[in-house]
Amino acid sequence: MAKHNQKILVVDDEGDILEFLKYNLSKEGYNVRTATDGIKGVEVAKSFKPNLILLDIMMPKQDGVETCRQMREIPEIANSFVIFLTARSEEYSEVVAFDMGADDYITKPIKPRALISRINALFRRKSKKKKESNKITIGDLLIDRTSYTIKNGEDRISLPKKEFDLLYFLAQNPGKVFSRDELLQSVWGTDVYVLIRTVDVHVQKVREKIGKEHIITVKGVGYKFKSN
């Protein structure tokens, strides 16, 4: 039986890595499918509807970043977890990965127990969030985590998963100031290494889409969501 009925799609152009990951994840109890490139990965994702996607960045035909962008546009898996796998460790790759809505970023060679631990942590976090309130209304802004949608008056706004999670977390605590470190731990989790500047980039993008007046910078401290 699949572990908690969770489905994982692994997309990588290296056959030995696909077999290695499929074996270890299946052994753990997950329902696993594989694809050898980004284009095939998108096709499989549409029918398989995975709860989590392990996605190599450097692939022929279509790289992982573009593949992630296309997968995020598939409504049924728009909120599925994405973990990027890559042999590259440059800061650029990491920033791009998280800007595209990645939930984690793992550098090869992959240690199976560490990978499984991080996957399990993501699913636990999702289970915990389901028990919390799913809608927040502040002024004209309605944030609905059930459907991952935002309405600002009559305008419907779409945000990538991490931008949405950041907005939702701040909006849950209006008027409370959070440091960048606190936001990293609360939104990205303690199991993921993310650069501090990633918070600033995501705040900037959220402001561009919902308006600058909602998230306030507290100089030398961090950010807060404006209370009514």
Side-chain angles (χ1 to χ4, degrees):
M1 181 181 293
K3 188 169 187 176
H4 308 302
N5 297 316
Q6 302 288 12
K7 297 183 289 186
I8 296 178
L9 171 61
V10 185
V11 186
D12 199 302
D13 61 311
E14 298 183 53
D16 56 341
I17 289 180
L18 284 181
E19 289 303 316
F20 171 74
L21 291 176
K22 183 176 182 179
Y23 170 79
N24 281 280
L25 292 169
S26 298
K27 185 179 178 182
E28 185 69 13
Y30 290 109
N31 182 3
V32 185
R33 296 274 182 88
T34 62
T36 54
D37 62 62
I39 295 173
K40 291 180 182 177
V42 173
E43 293 176 358
V44 174
K46 288 178 180 178
S47 58
F48 184 49
K49 299 179 179 61
N51 305 103
L52 184 144
I53 302 150
L54 292 173
L55 187 57
D56 187 31
I57 288 185
M58 299 298 291
M59 293 185 291
K61 298 183 181 180
Q62 181 170 287
D63 66 24
V65 173
E66 174 59 21
T67 300
C68 180
R69 186 192 68 77
Q70 292 182 19
M71 288 181 173
R72 287 299 190 204
E73 292 179 353
I74 302 172
E76 294 86 352
I77 62 169
N79 302 321
S80 297
F81 294 116
V82 174
I83 298 178
F84 275 114
L85 306 174
T86 180
R88 299 173 62 183
S89 58
E90 300 96 316
E91 176 182 327
Y92 169 78
S93 296
E94 181 178 341
V95 171
V96 170
F98 283 112
D99 283 351
M100 287 307 302
D103 296 280
D104 206 344
Y105 179 97
I106 296 176
T107 303
K108 297 176 181 177
I110 300 163
K111 298 177 181 178
R113 293 312 307 169
L115 173 63
I116 289 169
S117 176
R118 289 161 89 155
I119 289 173
N120 290 342
L122 286 174
F123 283 134
R124 282 197 302 271
R125 210 184 323 160
K126 184 175 183 179
S127 177
K128 181 179 178 182
K129 284 182 178 180
K130 282 184 178 179
K131 299 176 183 178
E132 300 170 356
S133 174
N134 287 315
K135 290 186 180 180
I136 297 174
T137 302
I138 299 180
D140 292 332
L141 199 64
L142 170 64
I143 308 169
D144 185 350
R145 193 170 58 196
T146 303
S147 59
Y148 268 71
T149 57
I150 300 164
K151 288 189 70 177
N152 192 356
E154 296 300 317
D155 297 328
R156 192 181 182 90
I157 302 167
S158 177
L159 295 180
K161 186 175 184 299
K162 276 301 167 204
E163 292 176 24
F164 183 95
D165 289 344
L166 175 62
L167 172 63
Y168 193 89
F169 178 77
L170 288 169
Q172 276 186 307
N173 304 275
K176 183 175 179 179
V177 182
F178 293 94
S179 69
R180 290 168 177 81
D181 282 331
E182 288 175 320
L183 291 173
L184 283 176
Q185 292 180 23
S186 299
V187 178
W188 280 265
T190 56
D191 299 320
V192 183
Y193 174 74
V194 187
L195 299 171
I196 287 288
R197 61 172 294 201
T198 301
V199 174
D200 299 325
V201 171
H202 279 66
V203 167
Q204 180 181 349
K205 291 187 175 184
V206 172
R207 283 172 168 166
E208 290 172 355
K209 295 167 185 173
I210 70 166
K212 298 180 179 179
E213 69 276 12
H214 295 291
I215 300 178
I216 299 170
T217 301
V218 180
K219 192 172 181 180
V221 183
Y223 298 101
K224 69 176 181 179
F225 194 91
K226 184 179 180 181
S227 56
N228 285 339

